[in-house]
Amino acid sequence: MVDKNRKATLTIDGRSWDLPMRSPTVGPDVIDIRKLYGEADVFTYDPGFTSTASCASTITYIDGDAGELLYRGYPIEQLAERSHFLEVCFLLLYGDLPNAAQLEDFENRVTRHTMLHEQIQYFFRGFRRDAHPMATMVGVVGAMSAFYHDSTDINDPWQREVAAIRMIAKLPTIAAWAYKYSIGQPFVYPRNDLDYASNFLRMCFAVPTEEYEVNPVLSRAMDRIMTLHADHEQNASTSTVRLAGSSGANPFACVAAGIACLWGPAHGGANQACLEMLREIGSVGRIPEFIRRAKDKDDPFRLMGFGHRVYKNFDPRAKVMKQSADEVLGLLGVENNPLLQVAKELERIALEDAYFIDKKLYPNVDFYSGIILEAMGFPTAMFTPIFAVSRTVGWISQWKEMIADKDQKIGRPRQLYVGAPRRDYREVEDRS
Ligand code: CMC
């Protein structure tokens, strides 16, 4: 909302411009610089968008200093404890918690879209068996626009809705099949009598030769992982989805772009990188060596699972995840798992170390999620696909919000050009 009583004044070489101020519901005020270039002929410079709000949004709020995360106003801890993933999906997509009838209707709609077009199988079979499941997912999700033509018209609200439901419903099937394909096992079809998380676990771990019973503690832990990863305001992959969508691209293509961005080790790939790091450290005795490397400016090594662009306090998701890790490992009887011992000791040392304290580097969500997923039996390559399954609802909610936002234009940043000024072409024989 524009605050008519306040303005920011920018002065350059003695000339001043008044810039409108916008007030959020909570959080820092925002200076509206949209007219700056037109009026003052200057750009602002902000690589990595550290001080730039790219949109107005009503979906997720993070207070990084307080370590607070709200979905539509509800604290993540309450949702992780008392809600479940599909209810959280409804909340993110439509703005409020559903009543009983709305929830039943939503769960039915999602459940009845979990099957993939049968021909999509041939798409999977075109990939090498040793492809990373994220590579398969980028391809298959991108290809969904070639299968579901009747939900690619972004100007039709009904088609937008169908695309949203299709993606939330089908991403677990796609991720599970990417895994099954990579290990040479038959694809397991979804089952409508199972809840979302149980269905996903079954599609990953069942085989046709025997009955598979979903363990409710593992299913609850998976549901929590999904809830904790469901949205995180304008992070890199969500901003990628919005940027791709700003050109009018169809939602399947936009979510494929989001998956590609999520793959990077500084973002969703961190859970895989974190577990690989814990394995490399191997024992509590080697932790000081790795802490030393993390602090060394000349060593590119970073403690994976530590630090966050927005959280300068404990990531609230990490607290819930840590509790889940204890529950799952307890259930599986592997509390003495050496990786967990390394993780706990690493956390303790890092939280007492001046380098990490001064830079406000706390464990993030990925620090514990990998340990839980590994204990459940997932290979590290599946960690980021599970993040992608969970974040799909966030991407699609943000994409829908953007399409409905009258202030949104095609995303087109400007630049600080530092290349050569104009120069004339020279024939090859005239060049030194
Ligand atoms: N280990 C050691 N030093 C670190 C770390 C780390 N994990 N993270 C940041 N620093 C240092 C960094 O070297 C820099 O030091 P200096 O000021 O002396 O140059 C300072 O802390 C600030 O770091 P930055 O890279 O400028 O901060 P950023 O906001 O650009 O990066 C980050 C955030 C998450 C990319 C980064 O902390 C990192 O690479 N962490 C490890 C990867 C990771 O766990 N990512 C998962 C993020 S949570 C899941 C998600 O949302 O995707």
Side-chain angles (χ1 to χ4, degrees), residues 266-267 270 297 302-306 308-309 355 359 364 366:
H267 190 9
K297 282 234 156 294
R302 281 187 168 199
L303 271 197
M304 301 314 284
F306 271 78
H308 199 276
R309 169 61 62 79
Y355 174 92
K359 295 189 190 301
N364 59 47
D366 290 322

Side-chain angles (χ1 to χ4, degrees), residues 48 50 229 232 235-237 262 264-271 273-274 277 290-291 293-297 299-312 315 317 355-356 359-367 387 391:
T50 51
H229 285 88
H232 214 227
N235 57 85
S237 57
L262 186 76
H267 190 9
N271 49 16
C274 179
M277 175 193 79
F290 284 84
I291 296 267
R293 285 186 60 196
K295 296 196 289 195
D296 181 354
K297 282 234 156 294
D299 189 328
F301 174 78
R302 281 187 168 199
L303 271 197
M304 301 314 284
F306 271 78
H308 199 276
R309 169 61 62 79
V310 183
Y311 294 117
K312 301 303 168 199
D315 179 339
R317 302 168 300 172
Y355 174 92
F356 291 87
K359 295 189 190 301
K360 299 186 175 165
L361 299 171
Y362 292 86
N364 59 47
V365 67
D366 290 322
F367 191 65
F387 193 158
R391 184 56 58 84

Side-chain angles (χ1 to χ4, degrees), residues 273-330:
C274 179
L275 203 91
E276 284 163 0
M277 175 193 79
L278 294 176
R279 278 209 193 102
E280 193 189 342
I281 297 175
S283 66
V284 168
R286 291 190 68 204
I287 292 175
E289 174 195 336
F290 284 84
I291 296 267
R292 210 168 30 252
R293 285 186 60 196
K295 296 196 289 195
D296 181 354
K297 282 234 156 294
D298 299 324
D299 189 328
F301 174 78
R302 281 187 168 199
L303 271 197
M304 301 314 284
F306 271 78
H308 199 276
R309 169 61 62 79
V310 183
Y311 294 117
K312 301 303 168 199
N313 200 327
F314 229 95
D315 179 339
R317 302 168 300 172
K319 284 188 191 159
V320 181
M321 207 62 98
K322 186 176 181 178
Q323 190 195 337
S324 257
D326 286 336
E327 276 171 29
V328 169
L329 298 180

Side-chain angles (χ1 to χ4, degrees), residues 57 69 110 113 162 192 259 282 369 391:
S57 181
L69 169 61
V110 171
H113 275 96
V162 175
N192 287 358
I259 295 173
S369 60
R391 184 56 58 84

